[in-house]
Amino acid sequence: MALNAPSLGMCFDRSLPASAVIEFAEGLEAGGVEQLWVIEDCFYTAGISLAATALARTDHLQVGLGILPAVARNAAVTAMEIATLAELAPGRLLAGIGHGVQDWMEQMGARTPSPLTTLDEVITTVRRLLQGETVTFDGSEVTMRDVALVPAPTQVPPVLAGVRGPKSLALAGRIADGVVLAEGASPAYVRQSIEQAGSPAGFRTSVFSALCLIPNRKLAHHAMSPFVAGLLSQPEAGIQAHPHFDEMIERFTSGGIEAIADFPDDWWVDIGAIGTLDDVVAHIEALTDAGADDVSLFPGPTLDLARDGLQSVIKIRQALAS
């Protein structure tokens, strides 16, 4: 692997059939790819069971939980599940915990009045339990009395906060081992996020990025224009940090989705792993230069597209290693 290359991974989309996680985990490991991130969104496949299956079917692959909603499980149970996975595959688990989409949380009666406070309490107590402490805690959302894991994991996995906003990133810098940044994160946003987290020593930054590897970059830009239109229609912090965001909005507003495909090539390099192999490598290298430790690529949402994406990720790994 080249010195400036991050750990490369692939995201297992929430829409894929659960049984396919075996095919993708084994395929990634055989292809020399370092990571698989399983995506937990309500109410699709569940992250813990997918991660357990992927870890059981591989020997070296790292598996990331992306991302467990803080209030969907009791914090003590979350720690138990993470600890169990960590013991099944020492050193191979990355545990992401986030706020959860609040509309989904409300659907299942788990919405919290303060997502920030809840995330603080959950990550804090989960990490303490994983580190072998006996925890007594009386918070707004988390209550524990003399809780300890038996046993605590021999190798404590990193707990990463899946967050976006500046307050949440600042919190992550104080309480978590790192962050998970969702797709649409430009290199500028990676830098901004690390700065907002306070740039703590040893802080891990894992980034998800959209994937579309096509030898003809214009075809790739056309194919991914609807995805970018979605980002611009409801802009989150990731796309807002793009250095040409205002111009992108102006062109999109005046020219619609057709104008997106004509964005300059360098804009696209910041948006995602989209275009030729050289374009994709340039995007990943830009994320790495910005501070990303892990880059995991999102394929298309169907099984056939994801299988194409698997082969693309293997090609990208080979290119990064050369």
Side-chain angles (χ1 to χ4, degrees), residues 40-42 66-73 96-106 108 110-123 141 160-172 175 179-180 236:
E40 177 168 291
D41 281 342
C42 301
I67 303 162
L68 303 180
V71 292
R73 300 170 180 83
I97 300 176
H99 296 298
V101 175
Q102 293 307 297
D103 286 347
W104 291 341
M105 298 302 103
E106 185 169 6
M108 57 182 176
R111 186 161 190 160
T112 173
S114 176
L116 202 64
T117 299
T118 300
L119 188 65
D120 185 348
E121 295 179 1
V122 169
I123 290 182
E141 295 291 331
L160 313 179
V163 293
R164 286 181 173 145
K167 291 182 180 179
S168 296
L169 287 163
L171 175 67
I175 66 166
V179 290
V180 181
E236 299 280 359

mmCIF file of all heavy atoms in Angstrom, residues 40-42 66-73 96-106 108 110-123 141 160-172 175 179-180 236:
data_model
loop_
_atom_site.group_PDB
_atom_site.id
_atom_site.type_symbol
_atom_site.label_atom_id
_atom_site.label_comp_id
_atom_site.label_asym_id
_atom_site.label_seq_id
_atom_site.Cartn_x
_atom_site.Cartn_y
_atom_site.Cartn_z
ATOM 1 N N GLU A 40 -26.520 0.512 8.937
ATOM 2 C CA GLU A 40 -27.762 0.273 9.674
ATOM 3 C C GLU A 40 -28.646 1.519 9.584
ATOM 4 O O GLU A 40 -28.326 2.558 10.161
ATOM 5 C CB GLU A 40 -27.487 -0.059 11.143
ATOM 6 C CG GLU A 40 -28.783 -0.236 11.932
ATOM 7 C CD GLU A 40 -28.599 -0.831 13.310
ATOM 8 O OE1 GLU A 40 -28.254 -2.020 13.397
ATOM 9 O OE2 GLU A 40 -28.797 -0.095 14.302
ATOM 10 N N ASP A 41 -29.703 1.408 8.819
ATOM 11 C CA ASP A 41 -30.749 2.433 8.757
ATOM 12 C C ASP A 41 -32.067 1.771 9.142
ATOM 13 O O ASP A 41 -32.307 0.603 8.813
ATOM 14 C CB ASP A 41 -30.880 3.019 7.346
ATOM 15 C CG ASP A 41 -29.813 4.061 7.034
ATOM 16 O OD1 ASP A 41 -29.191 4.583 7.978
ATOM 17 O OD2 ASP A 41 -29.605 4.339 5.838
ATOM 18 N N CYS A 42 -32.921 2.522 9.818
ATOM 19 C CA CYS A 42 -34.244 2.004 10.153
ATOM 20 C C CYS A 42 -35.105 2.049 8.889
ATOM 21 O O CYS A 42 -35.117 3.053 8.187
ATOM 22 C CB CYS A 42 -34.898 2.859 11.239
ATOM 23 S SG CYS A 42 -33.941 2.943 12.777
ATOM 24 N N GLY A 66 -21.885 1.095 10.753
ATOM 25 C CA GLY A 66 -22.160 2.449 10.297
ATOM 26 C C GLY A 66 -23.654 2.680 10.022
ATOM 27 O O GLY A 66 -24.080 2.354 8.939
ATOM 28 N N ILE A 67 -24.397 3.213 10.885
ATOM 29 C CA ILE A 67 -23.980 3.700 12.200
ATOM 30 C C ILE A 67 -25.091 3.332 13.170
ATOM 31 O O ILE A 67 -26.262 3.477 12.844
ATOM 32 C CB ILE A 67 -23.790 5.238 12.200
ATOM 33 C CG1 ILE A 67 -22.774 5.640 11.131
ATOM 34 C CG2 ILE A 67 -23.355 5.756 13.552
ATOM 35 C CD1 ILE A 67 -22.854 7.128 10.764
ATOM 36 N N LEU A 68 -24.754 2.847 14.367
ATOM 37 C CA LEU A 68 -25.771 2.472 15.341
ATOM 38 C C LEU A 68 -26.429 3.713 15.928
ATOM 39 O O LEU A 68 -25.732 4.595 16.443
ATOM 40 C CB LEU A 68 -25.144 1.662 16.476
ATOM 41 C CG LEU A 68 -24.390 0.387 16.103
ATOM 42 C CD1 LEU A 68 -23.848 -0.280 17.365
ATOM 43 C CD2 LEU A 68 -25.269 -0.572 15.313
ATOM 44 N N PRO A 69 -27.767 3.834 15.865
ATOM 45 C CA PRO A 69 -28.430 4.966 16.531
ATOM 46 C C PRO A 69 -28.291 4.863 18.040
ATOM 47 O O PRO A 69 -28.508 3.790 18.618
ATOM 48 C CB PRO A 69 -29.899 4.825 16.096
ATOM 49 C CG PRO A 69 -29.896 3.874 14.943
ATOM 50 C CD PRO A 69 -28.725 2.977 15.152
ATOM 51 N N ALA A 70 -27.941 5.962 18.669
ATOM 52 C CA ALA A 70 -27.620 5.943 20.102
ATOM 53 C C ALA A 70 -28.754 5.397 20.957
ATOM 54 O O ALA A 70 -28.508 4.653 21.914
ATOM 55 C CB ALA A 70 -27.243 7.352 20.568
ATOM 56 N N VAL A 71 -29.996 5.755 20.631
ATOM 57 C CA VAL A 71 -31.108 5.404 21.513
ATOM 58 C C VAL A 71 -31.909 4.206 21.026
ATOM 59 O O VAL A 71 -32.903 3.840 21.636
ATOM 60 C CB VAL A 71 -32.058 6.613 21.708
ATOM 61 C CG1 VAL A 71 -31.361 7.705 22.489
ATOM 62 C CG2 VAL A 71 -32.547 7.136 20.366
ATOM 63 N N ALA A 72 -31.474 3.576 19.945
ATOM 64 C CA ALA A 72 -32.213 2.416 19.450
ATOM 65 C C ALA A 72 -32.017 1.198 20.344
ATOM 66 O O ALA A 72 -32.850 0.295 20.373
ATOM 67 C CB ALA A 72 -31.790 2.082 18.022
ATOM 68 N N ARG A 73 -30.897 1.173 21.077
ATOM 69 C CA ARG A 73 -30.605 0.093 22.020
ATOM 70 C C ARG A 73 -30.240 0.720 23.361
ATOM 71 O O ARG A 73 -29.684 1.816 23.415
ATOM 72 C CB ARG A 73 -29.434 -0.757 21.532
ATOM 73 C CG ARG A 73 -29.640 -1.444 20.192
ATOM 74 C CD ARG A 73 -28.328 -2.039 19.700
ATOM 75 N NE ARG A 73 -28.478 -2.715 18.407
ATOM 76 C CZ ARG A 73 -28.447 -2.099 17.236
ATOM 77 N NH1 ARG A 73 -28.291 -0.769 17.195
ATOM 78 N NH2 ARG A 73 -28.592 -2.784 16.104
ATOM 79 N N GLY A 96 -19.335 2.517 15.017
ATOM 80 C CA GLY A 96 -19.894 3.853 14.830
ATOM 81 C C GLY A 96 -21.226 3.993 15.555
ATOM 82 O O GLY A 96 -22.089 3.125 15.460
ATOM 83 N N ILE A 97 -21.367 5.091 16.304
ATOM 84 C CA ILE A 97 -22.625 5.397 17.002
ATOM 85 C C ILE A 97 -22.993 6.843 16.661
ATOM 86 O O ILE A 97 -22.149 7.743 16.738
ATOM 87 C CB ILE A 97 -22.488 5.249 18.529
ATOM 88 C CG1 ILE A 97 -22.092 3.814 18.904
ATOM 89 C CG2 ILE A 97 -23.797 5.617 19.232
ATOM 90 C CD1 ILE A 97 -21.850 3.600 20.395
ATOM 91 N N GLY A 98 -24.255 7.060 16.287
ATOM 92 C CA GLY A 98 -24.692 8.400 15.936
ATOM 93 C C GLY A 98 -26.019 8.760 16.581
ATOM 94 O O GLY A 98 -26.584 7.980 17.353
ATOM 95 N N HIS A 99 -26.513 9.948 16.236
ATOM 96 C CA HIS A 99 -27.786 10.417 16.796
ATOM 97 C C HIS A 99 -28.956 9.551 16.343
ATOM 98 O O HIS A 99 -29.919 9.364 17.083
ATOM 99 C CB HIS A 99 -28.072 11.861 16.348
ATOM 100 C CG HIS A 99 -27.085 12.863 16.840
ATOM 101 N ND1 HIS A 99 -26.893 13.113 18.174
ATOM 102 C CD2 HIS A 99 -26.257 13.705 16.174
ATOM 103 C CE1 HIS A 99 -25.981 14.070 18.314
ATOM 104 N NE2 HIS A 99 -25.579 14.429 17.119
ATOM 105 N N GLY A 100 -28.885 9.049 15.119
ATOM 106 C CA GLY A 100 -30.060 8.435 14.508
ATOM 107 C C GLY A 100 -30.945 9.509 13.889
ATOM 108 O O GLY A 100 -30.975 10.652 14.354
ATOM 109 N N VAL A 101 -31.617 9.161 12.807
ATOM 110 C CA VAL A 101 -32.567 10.091 12.185
ATOM 111 C C VAL A 101 -33.750 10.246 13.129
ATOM 112 O O VAL A 101 -34.414 9.252 13.471
ATOM 113 C CB VAL A 101 -33.001 9.567 10.807
ATOM 114 C CG1 VAL A 101 -34.071 10.471 10.208
ATOM 115 C CG2 VAL A 101 -31.798 9.456 9.869
ATOM 116 N N GLN A 102 -34.011 11.478 13.535
ATOM 117 C CA GLN A 102 -34.990 11.685 14.610
ATOM 118 C C GLN A 102 -36.413 11.294 14.208
ATOM 119 O O GLN A 102 -37.196 10.856 15.054
ATOM 120 C CB GLN A 102 -34.931 13.136 15.081
ATOM 121 C CG GLN A 102 -33.617 13.489 15.790
ATOM 122 C CD GLN A 102 -33.291 12.526 16.913
ATOM 123 O OE1 GLN A 102 -34.022 12.422 17.902
ATOM 124 N NE2 GLN A 102 -32.185 11.790 16.783
ATOM 125 N N ASP A 103 -36.753 11.406 12.932
ATOM 126 C CA ASP A 103 -38.074 10.940 12.498
ATOM 127 C C ASP A 103 -38.205 9.432 12.693
ATOM 128 O O ASP A 103 -39.263 8.931 13.100
ATOM 129 C CB ASP A 103 -38.303 11.302 11.032
ATOM 130 C CG ASP A 103 -38.579 12.783 10.837
ATOM 131 O OD1 ASP A 103 -38.841 13.478 11.840
ATOM 132 O OD2 ASP A 103 -38.510 13.258 9.688
ATOM 133 N N TRP A 104 -37.129 8.706 12.397
ATOM 134 C CA TRP A 104 -37.159 7.250 12.617
ATOM 135 C C TRP A 104 -37.241 6.940 14.102
ATOM 136 O O TRP A 104 -37.941 6.018 14.519
ATOM 137 C CB TRP A 104 -35.909 6.608 12.028
ATOM 138 C CG TRP A 104 -35.844 6.638 10.532
ATOM 139 C CD1 TRP A 104 -36.884 6.836 9.675
ATOM 140 C CD2 TRP A 104 -34.682 6.466 9.731
ATOM 141 N NE1 TRP A 104 -36.448 6.795 8.372
ATOM 142 C CE2 TRP A 104 -35.095 6.569 8.375
ATOM 143 C CE3 TRP A 104 -33.341 6.232 9.999
ATOM 144 C CZ2 TRP A 104 -34.186 6.439 7.316
ATOM 145 C CZ3 TRP A 104 -32.448 6.105 8.947
ATOM 146 C CH2 TRP A 104 -32.875 6.209 7.621
ATOM 147 N N MET A 105 -36.505 7.708 14.894
ATOM 148 C CA MET A 105 -36.542 7.469 16.335
ATOM 149 C C MET A 105 -37.960 7.685 16.876
ATOM 150 O O MET A 105 -38.440 6.936 17.723
ATOM 151 C CB MET A 105 -35.561 8.390 17.058
ATOM 152 C CG MET A 105 -34.093 8.209 16.674
ATOM 153 S SD MET A 105 -33.471 6.529 16.932
ATOM 154 C CE MET A 105 -33.455 5.908 15.232
ATOM 155 N N GLU A 106 -38.642 8.701 16.348
ATOM 156 C CA GLU A 106 -40.016 8.969 16.789
ATOM 157 C C GLU A 106 -40.949 7.838 16.380
ATOM 158 O O GLU A 106 -41.866 7.469 17.135
ATOM 159 C CB GLU A 106 -40.488 10.293 16.213
ATOM 160 C CG GLU A 106 -41.854 10.712 16.722
ATOM 161 C CD GLU A 106 -42.217 12.137 16.357
ATOM 162 O OE1 GLU A 106 -41.457 12.779 15.606
ATOM 163 O OE2 GLU A 106 -43.265 12.608 16.817
ATOM 164 N N MET A 108 -40.432 4.754 16.381
ATOM 165 C CA MET A 108 -40.366 3.606 17.281
ATOM 166 C C MET A 108 -40.317 4.016 18.747
ATOM 167 O O MET A 108 -39.894 3.247 19.611
ATOM 168 C CB MET A 108 -39.164 2.719 16.934
ATOM 169 C CG MET A 108 -37.817 3.388 16.960
ATOM 170 S SD MET A 108 -36.542 2.179 16.454
ATOM 171 C CE MET A 108 -35.092 3.220 16.454
ATOM 172 N N ALA A 110 -38.517 6.253 20.353
ATOM 173 C CA ALA A 110 -37.198 6.414 20.963
ATOM 174 C C ALA A 110 -36.618 7.810 20.763
ATOM 175 O O ALA A 110 -35.446 8.030 21.014
ATOM 176 C CB ALA A 110 -36.233 5.381 20.389
ATOM 177 N N ARG A 111 -37.475 8.748 20.345
ATOM 178 C CA ARG A 111 -36.957 10.102 20.120
ATOM 179 C C ARG A 111 -36.573 10.741 21.450
ATOM 180 O O ARG A 111 -37.274 10.602 22.457
ATOM 181 C CB ARG A 111 -37.999 10.958 19.411
ATOM 182 C CG ARG A 111 -37.464 12.337 19.026
ATOM 183 C CD ARG A 111 -38.305 12.983 17.956
ATOM 184 N NE ARG A 111 -37.668 14.178 17.425
ATOM 185 C CZ ARG A 111 -37.954 14.730 16.255
ATOM 186 N NH1 ARG A 111 -38.888 14.174 15.494
ATOM 187 N NH2 ARG A 111 -37.339 15.807 15.839
ATOM 188 N N THR A 112 -35.446 11.430 21.449
ATOM 189 C CA THR A 112 -34.938 12.047 22.655
ATOM 190 C C THR A 112 -35.075 13.566 22.574
ATOM 191 O O THR A 112 -34.937 14.142 21.489
ATOM 192 C CB THR A 112 -33.458 11.677 22.872
ATOM 193 O OG1 THR A 112 -32.928 12.412 23.958
ATOM 194 C CG2 THR A 112 -32.630 11.984 21.636
ATOM 195 N N PRO A 113 -35.348 14.249 23.679
ATOM 196 C CA PRO A 113 -35.473 15.708 23.627
ATOM 197 C C PRO A 113 -34.154 16.409 23.333
ATOM 198 O O PRO A 113 -34.146 17.549 22.871
ATOM 199 C CB PRO A 113 -35.995 16.068 25.028
ATOM 200 C CG PRO A 113 -35.633 14.913 25.892
ATOM 201 C CD PRO A 113 -35.673 13.716 25.019
ATOM 202 N N SER A 114 -33.024 15.743 23.601
ATOM 203 C CA SER A 114 -31.717 16.341 23.344
ATOM 204 C C SER A 114 -30.803 15.299 22.734
ATOM 205 O O SER A 114 -30.101 14.577 23.456
ATOM 206 C CB SER A 114 -31.101 16.897 24.633
ATOM 207 O OG SER A 114 -29.794 17.399 24.378
ATOM 208 N N PRO A 115 -30.756 15.200 21.393
ATOM 209 C CA PRO A 115 -29.883 14.211 20.755
ATOM 210 C C PRO A 115 -28.419 14.377 21.149
ATOM 211 O O PRO A 115 -27.700 13.381 21.286
ATOM 212 C CB PRO A 115 -30.093 14.481 19.256
ATOM 213 C CG PRO A 115 -31.468 15.073 19.167
ATOM 214 C CD PRO A 115 -31.599 15.919 20.401
ATOM 215 N N LEU A 116 -27.981 15.610 21.354
ATOM 216 C CA LEU A 116 -26.584 15.842 21.703
ATOM 217 C C LEU A 116 -26.254 15.265 23.083
ATOM 218 O O LEU A 116 -25.252 14.569 23.266
ATOM 219 C CB LEU A 116 -26.282 17.344 21.666
ATOM 220 C CG LEU A 116 -24.825 17.758 21.480
ATOM 221 C CD1 LEU A 116 -24.318 17.312 20.122
ATOM 222 C CD2 LEU A 116 -24.685 19.270 21.618
ATOM 223 N N THR A 117 -27.128 15.549 24.062
ATOM 224 C CA THR A 117 -26.919 15.003 25.405
ATOM 225 C C THR A 117 -26.971 13.486 25.390
ATOM 226 O O THR A 117 -26.162 12.808 26.042
ATOM 227 C CB THR A 117 -27.986 15.558 26.369
ATOM 228 O OG1 THR A 117 -27.861 16.976 26.440
ATOM 229 C CG2 THR A 117 -27.840 14.969 27.757
ATOM 230 N N THR A 118 -27.918 12.947 24.663
ATOM 231 C CA THR A 118 -28.057 11.492 24.596
ATOM 232 C C THR A 118 -26.815 10.844 23.995
ATOM 233 O O THR A 118 -26.311 9.845 24.520
ATOM 234 C CB THR A 118 -29.296 11.122 23.766
ATOM 235 O OG1 THR A 118 -30.451 11.689 24.384
ATOM 236 C CG2 THR A 118 -29.453 9.615 23.665
ATOM 237 N N LEU A 119 -26.320 11.400 22.891
ATOM 238 C CA LEU A 119 -25.117 10.831 22.278
ATOM 239 C C LEU A 119 -23.937 10.905 23.234
ATOM 240 O O LEU A 119 -23.136 9.956 23.336
ATOM 241 C CB LEU A 119 -24.794 11.564 20.979
ATOM 242 C CG LEU A 119 -23.674 10.939 20.144
ATOM 243 C CD1 LEU A 119 -24.075 9.563 19.638
ATOM 244 C CD2 LEU A 119 -23.299 11.854 18.975
ATOM 245 N N ASP A 120 -23.812 12.009 23.936
ATOM 246 C CA ASP A 120 -22.750 12.180 24.927
ATOM 247 C C ASP A 120 -22.829 11.062 25.964
ATOM 248 O O ASP A 120 -21.838 10.369 26.250
ATOM 249 C CB ASP A 120 -22.911 13.550 25.590
ATOM 250 C CG ASP A 120 -21.784 13.895 26.547
ATOM 251 O OD1 ASP A 120 -20.973 13.011 26.886
ATOM 252 O OD2 ASP A 120 -21.720 15.070 26.961
ATOM 253 N N GLU A 121 -24.017 10.850 26.533
ATOM 254 C CA GLU A 121 -24.169 9.846 27.585
ATOM 255 C C GLU A 121 -23.928 8.428 27.071
ATOM 256 O O GLU A 121 -23.290 7.606 27.749
ATOM 257 C CB GLU A 121 -25.558 9.955 28.207
ATOM 258 C CG GLU A 121 -25.784 11.268 28.950
ATOM 259 C CD GLU A 121 -27.177 11.389 29.549
ATOM 260 O OE1 GLU A 121 -27.978 10.433 29.395
ATOM 261 O OE2 GLU A 121 -27.455 12.424 30.171
ATOM 262 N N VAL A 122 -24.430 8.137 25.880
ATOM 263 C CA VAL A 122 -24.292 6.785 25.338
ATOM 264 C C VAL A 122 -22.835 6.477 25.019
ATOM 265 O O VAL A 122 -22.287 5.444 25.441
ATOM 266 C CB VAL A 122 -25.192 6.595 24.104
ATOM 267 C CG1 VAL A 122 -24.859 5.286 23.387
ATOM 268 C CG2 VAL A 122 -26.660 6.610 24.500
ATOM 269 N N ILE A 123 -22.178 7.340 24.252
ATOM 270 C CA ILE A 123 -20.785 7.059 23.878
ATOM 271 C C ILE A 123 -19.895 7.027 25.116
ATOM 272 O O ILE A 123 -19.020 6.160 25.259
ATOM 273 C CB ILE A 123 -20.277 8.071 22.839
ATOM 274 C CG1 ILE A 123 -20.968 7.827 21.493
ATOM 275 C CG2 ILE A 123 -18.760 7.971 22.681
ATOM 276 C CD1 ILE A 123 -20.504 8.731 20.369
ATOM 277 N N GLU A 141 -30.721 10.364 29.810
ATOM 278 C CA GLU A 141 -31.218 9.242 29.009
ATOM 279 C C GLU A 141 -30.607 7.912 29.399
ATOM 280 O O GLU A 141 -31.149 6.860 29.077
ATOM 281 C CB GLU A 141 -30.929 9.507 27.518
ATOM 282 C CG GLU A 141 -31.673 10.696 26.931
ATOM 283 C CD GLU A 141 -33.168 10.443 26.818
ATOM 284 O OE1 GLU A 141 -33.568 9.278 26.656
ATOM 285 O OE2 GLU A 141 -33.933 11.419 26.881
ATOM 286 N N LEU A 160 -16.515 5.418 17.249
ATOM 287 C CA LEU A 160 -16.516 6.614 16.418
ATOM 288 C C LEU A 160 -17.905 7.236 16.409
ATOM 289 O O LEU A 160 -18.916 6.529 16.373
ATOM 290 C CB LEU A 160 -16.100 6.272 14.982
ATOM 291 C CG LEU A 160 -14.855 5.395 14.814
ATOM 292 C CD1 LEU A 160 -14.591 5.128 13.343
ATOM 293 C CD2 LEU A 160 -13.642 6.039 15.465
ATOM 294 N N ALA A 161 -17.972 8.547 16.438
ATOM 295 C CA ALA A 161 -19.248 9.257 16.418
ATOM 296 C C ALA A 161 -19.642 9.557 14.978
ATOM 297 O O ALA A 161 -18.907 10.229 14.252
ATOM 298 C CB ALA A 161 -19.139 10.554 17.222
ATOM 299 N N GLY A 162 -20.803 9.060 14.572
ATOM 300 C CA GLY A 162 -21.325 9.364 13.247
ATOM 301 C C GLY A 162 -22.143 10.644 13.307
ATOM 302 O O GLY A 162 -23.349 10.611 13.578
ATOM 303 N N VAL A 163 -21.485 11.778 13.090
ATOM 304 C CA VAL A 163 -22.108 13.088 13.294
ATOM 305 C C VAL A 163 -21.752 14.027 12.152
ATOM 306 O O VAL A 163 -20.867 13.737 11.337
ATOM 307 C CB VAL A 163 -21.662 13.711 14.642
ATOM 308 C CG1 VAL A 163 -22.201 12.902 15.820
ATOM 309 C CG2 VAL A 163 -20.137 13.806 14.731
ATOM 310 N N ARG A 164 -22.418 15.207 12.135
ATOM 311 C CA ARG A 164 -22.197 16.171 11.057
ATOM 312 C C ARG A 164 -21.963 17.593 11.552
ATOM 313 O O ARG A 164 -21.030 18.246 11.128
ATOM 314 C CB ARG A 164 -23.402 16.172 10.105
ATOM 315 C CG ARG A 164 -23.478 14.962 9.211
ATOM 316 C CD ARG A 164 -24.674 15.053 8.282
ATOM 317 N NE ARG A 164 -24.685 13.996 7.292
ATOM 318 C CZ ARG A 164 -25.767 13.407 6.825
ATOM 319 N NH1 ARG A 164 -26.947 13.781 7.279
ATOM 320 N NH2 ARG A 164 -25.688 12.462 5.923
ATOM 321 N N GLY A 165 -22.850 18.110 12.393
ATOM 322 C CA GLY A 165 -22.832 19.522 12.753
ATOM 323 C C GLY A 165 -21.668 19.904 13.653
ATOM 324 O O GLY A 165 -21.039 19.052 14.284
ATOM 325 N N PRO A 166 -21.366 21.204 13.744
ATOM 326 C CA PRO A 166 -20.216 21.654 14.538
ATOM 327 C C PRO A 166 -20.310 21.307 16.016
ATOM 328 O O PRO A 166 -19.306 20.947 16.628
ATOM 329 C CB PRO A 166 -20.190 23.169 14.309
ATOM 330 C CG PRO A 166 -21.531 23.531 13.744
ATOM 331 C CD PRO A 166 -22.009 22.324 13.019
ATOM 332 N N LYS A 167 -21.502 21.391 16.616
ATOM 333 C CA LYS A 167 -21.635 21.040 18.032
ATOM 334 C C LYS A 167 -21.383 19.547 18.248
ATOM 335 O O LYS A 167 -20.723 19.149 19.217
ATOM 336 C CB LYS A 167 -23.019 21.426 18.557
ATOM 337 C CG LYS A 167 -23.258 22.928 18.655
ATOM 338 C CD LYS A 167 -24.637 23.213 19.233
ATOM 339 C CE LYS A 167 -24.883 24.715 19.340
ATOM 340 N NZ LYS A 167 -26.239 25.007 19.882
ATOM 341 N N SER A 168 -21.915 18.737 17.351
ATOM 342 C CA SER A 168 -21.722 17.293 17.466
ATOM 343 C C SER A 168 -20.264 16.913 17.221
ATOM 344 O O SER A 168 -19.719 16.017 17.875
ATOM 345 C CB SER A 168 -22.629 16.553 16.482
ATOM 346 O OG SER A 168 -23.990 16.766 16.798
ATOM 347 N N LEU A 169 -19.610 17.587 16.282
ATOM 348 C CA LEU A 169 -18.203 17.312 16.020
ATOM 349 C C LEU A 169 -17.338 17.723 17.196
ATOM 350 O O LEU A 169 -16.390 17.014 17.565
ATOM 351 C CB LEU A 169 -17.761 18.028 14.743
ATOM 352 C CG LEU A 169 -18.293 17.395 13.445
ATOM 353 C CD1 LEU A 169 -18.180 18.368 12.283
ATOM 354 C CD2 LEU A 169 -17.532 16.107 13.135
ATOM 355 N N ALA A 170 -17.662 18.854 17.803
ATOM 356 C CA ALA A 170 -16.917 19.271 19.000
ATOM 357 C C ALA A 170 -17.091 18.257 20.117
ATOM 358 O O ALA A 170 -16.130 17.920 20.834
ATOM 359 C CB ALA A 170 -17.382 20.656 19.447
ATOM 360 N N LEU A 171 -18.315 17.742 20.267
ATOM 361 C CA LEU A 171 -18.568 16.699 21.260
ATOM 362 C C LEU A 171 -17.754 15.451 20.944
ATOM 363 O O LEU A 171 -17.129 14.847 21.833
ATOM 364 C CB LEU A 171 -20.057 16.363 21.300
ATOM 365 C CG LEU A 171 -20.464 15.199 22.213
ATOM 366 C CD1 LEU A 171 -20.244 15.567 23.678
ATOM 367 C CD2 LEU A 171 -21.928 14.805 21.971
ATOM 368 N N ALA A 172 -17.734 15.047 19.672
ATOM 369 C CA ALA A 172 -16.984 13.865 19.269
ATOM 370 C C ALA A 172 -15.514 13.991 19.634
ATOM 371 O O ALA A 172 -14.887 13.018 20.078
ATOM 372 C CB ALA A 172 -17.141 13.628 17.773
ATOM 373 N N ILE A 175 -15.307 13.108 23.422
ATOM 374 C CA ILE A 175 -15.757 11.854 24.027
ATOM 375 C C ILE A 175 -15.504 10.603 23.187
ATOM 376 O O ILE A 175 -15.607 9.494 23.714
ATOM 377 C CB ILE A 175 -17.270 11.911 24.342
ATOM 378 C CG1 ILE A 175 -18.091 11.984 23.045
ATOM 379 C CG2 ILE A 175 -17.591 13.080 25.273
ATOM 380 C CD1 ILE A 175 -19.565 11.714 23.226
ATOM 381 N N VAL A 179 -14.478 10.006 14.198
ATOM 382 C CA VAL A 179 -15.764 10.313 13.578
ATOM 383 C C VAL A 179 -15.957 9.485 12.316
ATOM 384 O O VAL A 179 -14.998 9.031 11.696
ATOM 385 C CB VAL A 179 -15.905 11.814 13.209
ATOM 386 C CG1 VAL A 179 -16.042 12.670 14.440
ATOM 387 C CG2 VAL A 179 -14.743 12.272 12.340
ATOM 388 N N VAL A 180 -17.225 9.304 11.961
ATOM 389 C CA VAL A 180 -17.613 8.761 10.667
ATOM 390 C C VAL A 180 -18.349 9.878 9.934
ATOM 391 O O VAL A 180 -19.348 10.403 10.443
ATOM 392 C CB VAL A 180 -18.536 7.532 10.800
ATOM 393 C CG1 VAL A 180 -18.888 6.984 9.420
ATOM 394 C CG2 VAL A 180 -17.888 6.457 11.655
ATOM 395 N N GLU A 236 -26.493 19.356 3.271
ATOM 396 C CA GLU A 236 -25.936 19.139 4.598
ATOM 397 C C GLU A 236 -24.555 19.782 4.654
ATOM 398 O O GLU A 236 -24.040 20.291 3.654
ATOM 399 C CB GLU A 236 -25.833 17.634 4.889
ATOM 400 C CG GLU A 236 -27.147 16.890 4.866
ATOM 401 C CD GLU A 236 -27.958 17.056 6.147
ATOM 402 O OE1 GLU A 236 -27.468 17.753 7.067
ATOM 403 O OE2 GLU A 236 -29.064 16.493 6.220
#
